[in-house]
Amino acid sequence: MKKIKFIGLFTAALFTAGFAFADDFDFGDDFGSDFGGDFGDSSASFAGGALEVNGEAQIDFRAYFDDEDEYGLPVDEWKTDTTPKGKINLKYSNSAVSAEAKFAFSKDVLENYREDVIDELTLESYLGNFVVQAGKMKVVWGKGDKLHAVDNFNANDYTDFIIPDYIDRRIAEPMIRVLYNVPKDVGPFSSSRFELVWTPTMTADRYASGGRWVPAQVKSLEKNLKRIATDSISNTIKGLEENRTKLAVAQTGYYNAESAYEAASEADKAKYAAQMQACGSAAKTAQENLTALNATYISQLSNSSSLADNLYPDTKQLKYMQAGARFTTTTGSLDWGLSYYVGRDKRASFDNSKIDSFVSTYLSKGSADDDDKFIDYDFLQVFGLEAAKTFGAYNFRAEGAYNLTKDTAGDDPKVHNNSVGWVFGFDRDLPLSELNMNVQFQGKYILNHDKINDLGVLDTESGTFENDNKVVVNISDSWNHGKVKPEVSAVYGFQHYDLIVMPKITWYVSDGLEFCAKGMYMASYKSDKTEFEGWHNNGFVQLGAKYTF
């Protein structure tokens, strides 16, 4: 399976407004970011510290009921997936340091992303009021409930769409993190926290390259690249045919001139000798062209198979490093914070003017420098504000972000425009059974939207809305003393008219063992305006079992 990281051509809607809520909303099992601490007390003591061993084993059976035949009618046979996966968490800690390693195992990880077997690896040291962390880590910023506007360090894995839990979709990044906890007796900053984060590289959002969850825009890019490559190869074939014809004509002309030369008088021999020389020169040129074009043709055929795997710049360079600072505190009953991020947008942007030259270069050389590639990741600064407060039975939370790129004027087709993003919502317990309702709104406003396509060329954000707003609702309950927990989640996009509904019920059978049944249905009411093009009426049912230890 190829590792497709970016959709590229004709993808503006998906990457500018699309998948924004998917970055953060929980549609799956909630393992939590520190799942090891919840799985039991398996531990052993070592020289002043303790080693904890936790983990889980899970298997899911999923059946898709949305397949259609060539006439758009439902088919009788449902396609199925059986997915076994597991996690192991090792943690050692004493009074001064701790070390934690989280391992993840699944077919996709073992076959395509082996570096993600180590899901996280964190080394932590306690230095008075300072905490220093280093390793391969996931850091979550913001007060939102698995829906964020200011959380930027880790990319997302969409190879199973948005079905896994938020923290499980995040891709761990090598980083250093320093925390300073202000002592409680230090005036107005009492009980505050300062945080610094730095990463040497960046990982981009990850998308499926095969199977059901390949976005329609990925298929569009591959189709366009294939068309451009096919046209280039066809031109080479055309050149081969033209030069074969030229060679045949030149050879025929040479033989005819040679025959005429032998039969000609002395006065005419010079004329036919000149014809022989001209035809010989033309034949030599045609043969040289044939040799070169044949080598080009063979090279193009060979390189075309790996074209889609080499579209992206190498982000494991210091120029893609990320950094940020965050301050959080409590004023009265209000928890709030400020943050600043500088790094790269995890969504890719593209330079439409480079596509043809990139394909030509790659087909001929089998490689292309980063400067030759039409895909890149925008330099990005994010100024964030977050807050959470309880009013009676309501728990409110909010985040706001100003996203600053290098396209302040909004007229650079290669760069995303500046934008403002936000999340706000609440949850509360309802006076019936143990019902809980969580409602959150997520949105984005693109600045200078009227400048998109102003130059008459395809823009990275072509096809987007100036405003993009969604509502995310989750209603959950608890029955039989917490042993049975039903819930339903739904997302509705006001501009795109997309709807996703996911019901779920979990039965906690005994200590560590649980069974889960859930399903999903997607609808896209305006196919030309949807974020989820190609997934209209997509749906599945799933049964699963999980054991934690």
Side-chain angles (χ1 to χ4, degrees):
M1 182 186 294
K2 296 174 291 184
K3 298 181 180 179
I4 296 293
K5 298 180 182 177
F6 172 57
I7 297 177
L9 191 59
F10 308 126
T11 62
L14 183 62
F15 284 92
T16 301
F19 285 171
F21 73 88
D23 288 352
D24 310 291
F25 187 67
D26 173 18
F27 274 122
D29 299 328
D30 185 3
F31 301 140
S33 60
D34 294 308
F35 62 85
D38 296 329
F39 289 168
D41 292 325
S42 300
S43 62
S45 297
F46 293 91
L51 176 65
E52 301 175 18
V53 182
N54 310 113
E56 67 180 35
Q58 181 176 347
I59 188 166
D60 293 318
F61 172 81
R62 186 183 299 171
Y64 295 92
F65 55 76
D66 62 321
D67 289 312
E68 299 175 344
D69 61 18
E70 59 182 316
Y71 304 104
L73 300 174
V75 298
D76 295 331
E77 296 181 359
W78 291 10
K79 292 184 179 180
T80 61
D81 287 330
T82 301
T83 307
K85 51 189 174 183
K87 295 184 178 182
I88 295 176
N89 182 34
L90 305 177
K91 183 175 182 178
Y92 172 82
S93 62
N94 58 33
S95 60
V97 298
S98 70
E100 184 171 17
K102 299 179 181 181
F103 301 92
F105 305 94
S106 69
K107 180 180 179 182
D108 191 41
V109 168
L110 295 176
E111 287 185 352
N112 303 305
Y113 306 104
R114 293 178 184 174
E115 68 276 11
D116 289 342
V117 168
I118 302 179
D119 188 39
E120 292 185 75
L121 177 62
T122 305
L123 307 177
E124 189 172 58
S125 178
Y126 315 110
L127 306 171
N129 292 320
F130 286 92
V131 178
V132 179
Q133 299 175 332
K136 184 182 180 184
M137 299 161 54
K138 301 177 184 181
V139 171
V140 178
W141 279 9
K143 294 290 191 295
D145 188 3
K146 301 179 183 178
L147 190 65
H148 299 284
V150 301
D151 190 24
N152 295 288
F153 281 100
N154 298 103
N156 295 281
D157 184 347
Y158 294 122
T159 53
D160 193 22
F161 192 48
I162 57 173
I163 299 167
D165 178 48
Y166 174 69
I167 199 65
D168 289 328
R169 288 198 305 272
R170 304 297 269 181
I171 303 172
E173 197 78 69
M175 65 177 63
I176 297 173
R177 184 187 189 196
V178 179
L179 306 169
Y180 175 69
N181 299 303
V182 179
K184 294 184 178 181
D185 56 352
V186 183
F189 293 103
S190 178
S191 300
S192 301
R193 168 178 280 188
F194 293 90
E195 178 178 353
L196 298 174
V197 177
W198 178 78
T199 79
T201 60
M202 185 274 286
T203 302
D205 284 343
R206 180 184 297 166
Y207 294 86
S209 59
R212 176 173 298 270
W213 297 118
V214 179
Q217 291 84 353
V218 168
K219 298 176 182 178
S220 177
L221 171 65
E222 293 182 336
K223 181 179 179 180
N224 276 278
L225 290 176
K226 183 176 181 179
R227 176 188 58 79
I228 295 171
T230 299
D231 288 347
S232 181
I233 294 173
S234 295
N235 287 334
T236 302
I237 294 174
K238 183 179 179 180
L240 284 168
E241 293 173 347
E242 290 176 349
N243 279 276
R244 288 193 185 103
T245 300
K246 290 180 180 179
L247 177 61
V249 170
Q251 288 176 333
T252 300
Y254 182 89
Y255 295 139
N256 290 339
E258 185 180 41
S259 298
Y261 176 86
E262 294 176 354
S265 64
E266 290 297 326
D268 292 332
K269 284 185 180 294
K271 177 180 68 173
Y272 292 115
Q275 292 180 1
M276 290 170 59
Q277 184 178 8
C279 289
S281 178
K284 180 180 179 183
T285 299
Q287 184 60 60
E288 289 175 346
N289 289 341
L290 278 173
T291 301
L293 287 169
N294 189 60
T296 298
Y297 174 68
I298 294 173
S299 176
Q300 288 178 328
L301 283 181
S302 175
N303 294 332
S304 63
S305 63
S306 59
L307 176 64
D309 293 330
N310 293 276
L311 304 178
Y312 323 103
D314 179 11
T315 61
K316 305 303 181 185
Q317 305 180 63
L318 277 178
K319 71 176 183 177
Y320 290 97
M321 68 181 180
Q322 308 172 83
R326 184 184 182 210
F327 168 76
T328 54
T329 190
T330 300
T331 303
S333 61
L334 176 67
D335 296 326
W336 62 279
L338 300 170
S339 62
Y340 170 73
Y341 167 86
V342 57
R344 297 285 181 146
D345 197 326
K346 304 303 183 295
R347 307 163 304 160
S349 57
F350 69 96
D351 183 350
N352 185 53
S353 66
K354 286 186 174 182
I355 295 178
D356 288 345
S357 61
F358 164 77
V359 174
S360 177
T361 298
Y362 189 85
L363 289 180
S364 62
K365 296 171 55 179
S367 63
D369 296 333
D370 284 353
D371 291 340
D372 296 326
K373 297 181 178 180
F374 63 93
I375 293 174
D376 202 3
Y377 301 93
D378 295 338
F379 178 80
L380 176 67
Q381 299 179 77
V382 180
F383 302 86
L385 173 65
E386 59 188 270
K389 184 175 176 60
T390 298
F391 291 96
Y394 292 87
N395 300 309
F396 287 90
R397 58 187 63 83
E399 295 180 19
Y402 180 74
N403 304 301
L404 177 64
T405 70
K406 291 184 177 181
D407 188 15
T408 302
D411 57 2
D412 187 342
K414 306 184 297 297
V415 180
H416 290 89
N417 288 22
N418 295 345
S419 64
V420 179
W422 60 85
V423 171
F424 66 89
F426 66 89
D427 72 88
R428 67 155 296 169
D429 293 327
L430 302 177
L432 177 65
S433 183
E434 295 187 28
L435 282 171
N436 177 271
M437 179 175 62
N438 187 314
V439 180
Q440 297 190 74
F441 295 88
Q442 189 264 355
K444 175 179 283 189
Y445 176 75
I446 300 176
L447 303 176
N448 296 311
H449 191 271
D450 59 329
K451 298 294 184 64
I452 294 175
N453 290 337
D454 196 40
L455 300 178
V457 298
L458 188 64
D459 193 287
T460 289
E461 295 175 295
S462 296
T464 62
F465 290 98
E466 186 175 20
N467 284 287
D468 181 40
N469 296 277
K470 299 178 181 68
V471 60
V472 182
V473 180
N474 177 271
I475 298 176
S476 61
D477 202 354
S478 179
W479 302 338
N480 192 21
H481 306 289
K483 290 186 177 180
V484 179
K485 293 187 176 182
E487 66 178 283
V488 61
S489 303
V491 175
Y492 180 71
F494 293 101
Q495 280 75 33
H496 295 275
Y497 299 96
D498 286 320
L499 174 68
I500 300 179
V501 179
M502 179 174 276
K504 173 182 173 182
I505 185 167
T506 305
W507 174 29
Y508 297 92
V509 182
S510 60
D511 290 343
L513 178 63
E514 62 186 74
F515 295 133
C516 179
K518 62 182 178 182
M520 187 191 76
Y521 174 73
M522 300 175 61
S524 300
Y525 295 107
K526 288 191 175 182
S527 60
D528 60 332
K529 294 290 185 179
T530 179
E531 290 181 58
F532 306 128
E533 180 185 349
W535 291 329
H536 179 56
N537 285 334
N538 195 316
F540 67 80
V541 292
Q542 178 174 306
L543 298 175
K546 181 169 68 174
Y547 178 71
T548 60
F549 59 89

